[in-house]
Amino acid sequence: MMSQMSRLTACPSCEWPLESGDRFCGACGYDLSAVPARPDDQPTVVLDGVPPAPDSALSAVPPPADRAGSSPAPAAASGTGVRFDRPAEPDEYPLQAPDPRTAGQAAPVAPVGPGGASAVCVACRAGRVDHDGYCENCGHAQPRERDHMEQEVGPIAAVSDRGLRHHRNEDAFALGTSTLPDGSPVSVAIVCDGVSSATRPDDASLAASRAASASLLAALPQGAHPQQAMHEAIVAAAHAVNALAAEPATALEQGPHQNAPACTLVGAIVTPGLLTVGWVGDSRVYWVPVDRSAPAARLTEDDSWAAQMVAAGLMNEAEAYADERAHAITGWLGADSYELEPHTASFKPDRPGVVVVCSDGLWNYAEGAEEMAEAVPADAATRPLHGARVLVGHALDGGGHDNVTVAVLPFPVVPQGAGSA
């Protein structure tokens, strides 16, 4: 009789595809020899909850000035909280990224051996780790460098975390500060979310974030208008992701039914008097005033199926976001994307606040503008790194179903040299 292990085509823990003869899962290290016998097939229908109707939109900033060739600024919008269209996933993986709220308190990292691999497994503390990052004794995958990342650049900061359910972090971010021709400071943040169904999504997000940031930091000091600079940065990011499709690494990884490397992108530029945002996909920017008696606002409009249905007048928000197709993205960066349509908008807030740039791994747990404002710490404008850590912790507390990345930028821009306490 064929053994239970030899019949498996996917890991029982994370559903990673398996090959004949695998003893451990290549993604999460699950011991396949310990798989229990298959239970009797008695399917049970599980009914998901129905999300509540979206709350009303709140606007805190005036509409942006139009620019030829740019998309009009969206009305600030907010919606329901946690998604209801998630596929079934395992409760957790054996190894999780460090909790950002306890950063600096974690146990020492195992020594690094040849090729950058840990000399001793962090799970069993006995086996040695091979060059691919797996324990030769227990098979556990070791933590990757991108599992948890933090960065603070002058007055702005960002944190990215793998979350509690994914085997790798497919998000990426880039931060930068510079000066405009008149000497005034400018801050830049880019957040990219790799499309998991595509090939090399982690490489796509990294390439896009780096290309967009480099483009902005080159154009803004030369006097380019922030909105035009953002448009060109998104185009540069798209070219960087498109180039991955022609690389040999993509051909090696790509299966017959997989898509080219792809990701979403969202970014913000903060100057002393102007806030500019740009995006393709469903990552978002929120505005949260320091004075919480003033309304918060979402400054981007998702490239998603639900948003298109509402914009076309075919459904109201409650109907569209209750549909199982609601969160399917309709815009992304990648060689197989539709015609690229970068969205940009500029705002002139009339009071101090913070700009939150994030992937859907965060806003799934704070979708409405007021929900996001409640999650943002009161001192985020003066302690942006602390604020970003708290927001990532909010997503992990909510379930951490996805990779989560968030950048926090004070408005108006803080002169370089100021930052988190």
Side-chain angles (χ1 to χ4, degrees), residues 51-420:
D55 52 354
S56 58
L58 295 173
S59 177
V61 292
D66 290 335
R67 179 181 62 81
S70 67
S71 302
S78 58
T80 57
V82 181
R83 290 184 179 179
F84 289 82
D85 62 337
R86 297 189 174 280
E89 298 186 64
D91 290 338
E92 60 180 338
Y93 283 91
L95 296 179
Q96 298 179 1
D99 189 327
R101 294 157 295 180
T102 58
Q105 304 175 16
V109 177
V112 175
S118 299
V120 180
C121 173
V122 300
C124 69
R125 293 292 179 181
R128 296 190 60 82
V129 180
D130 63 24
H131 292 289
D132 292 328
Y134 295 90
C135 177
E136 295 175 345
N137 178 51
C138 69
H140 275 90
Q142 304 301 293
R144 298 173 173 86
E145 180 182 357
R146 286 176 65 175
D147 281 356
H148 184 84
M149 302 178 291
E150 297 186 356
Q151 187 180 13
E152 188 172 28
V153 178
I156 62 178
V159 175
S160 182
D161 193 272
R162 187 187 72 190
L164 305 181
R165 305 296 182 91
H166 281 243
H167 71 279
R168 66 180 175 184
N169 189 358
E170 297 169 355
D171 285 0
F173 66 81
L175 304 177
T177 58
S178 188
T179 55
L180 301 178
D182 63 2
S184 59
V186 58
S187 297
V188 170
I190 299 291
V191 169
C192 296
D193 183 354
V195 177
S196 295
S197 60
T199 307
R200 300 172 63 192
D202 51 338
D203 291 340
S205 63
L206 186 62
S209 62
R210 288 177 173 176
S213 176
S215 177
L216 288 174
L217 294 176
L220 292 169
Q222 299 300 316
H225 187 279
Q227 201 164 338
Q228 179 63 33
M230 180 63 78
H231 180 96
E232 294 172 355
I234 295 174
V235 173
H239 289 161
V241 177
N242 291 350
L244 295 177
E247 291 186 359
T250 299
L252 289 174
E253 182 178 328
Q254 189 168 10
H257 303 296
Q258 288 183 300
N259 301 317
C263 68
T264 66
L265 179 148
V266 67
I269 303 170
V270 177
T271 69
L274 190 68
L275 164 59
T276 299
V277 300
W279 74 98
V280 173
D282 62 348
S283 293
R284 294 179 175 181
V285 178
Y286 290 83
W287 161 257
V288 180
V290 171
D291 178 5
R292 298 302 171 84
S293 63
R298 172 156 64 94
L299 306 183
T300 58
E301 184 66 38
D302 299 343
D303 286 322
S304 69
W305 182 89
Q308 282 196 345
M309 293 300 102
V310 174
L314 300 177
M315 290 184 175
N316 59 39
E317 286 193 352
E319 294 170 336
Y321 284 96
D323 193 284
E324 62 181 8
R325 298 165 290 181
H327 295 281
I329 60 173
T330 57
W332 62 89
L333 306 181
D336 60 355
S337 66
Y338 301 116
E339 183 178 357
L340 179 65
E341 295 184 10
H343 311 289
T344 63
S346 291
F347 304 84
K348 292 183 177 180
D350 60 357
R351 65 196 68 207
V354 292
V355 181
V356 177
V357 184
C358 65
S359 64
D360 62 345
L362 172 60
W363 66 252
N364 282 333
Y365 303 100
E367 187 167 356
E370 292 305 319
E371 291 178 280
M372 184 63 72
E374 291 176 3
V376 174
D379 60 354
T382 55
R383 301 177 64 200
L385 180 57
H386 169 72
R389 286 172 173 166
V390 169
L391 289 171
V392 170
H394 178 80
L396 298 182
D397 287 343
H401 286 79
D402 200 354
N403 306 144
V404 53
T405 302
V406 56
V408 176
L409 303 84
F411 180 93
V413 65
V414 179
Q416 294 188 38
S420 299

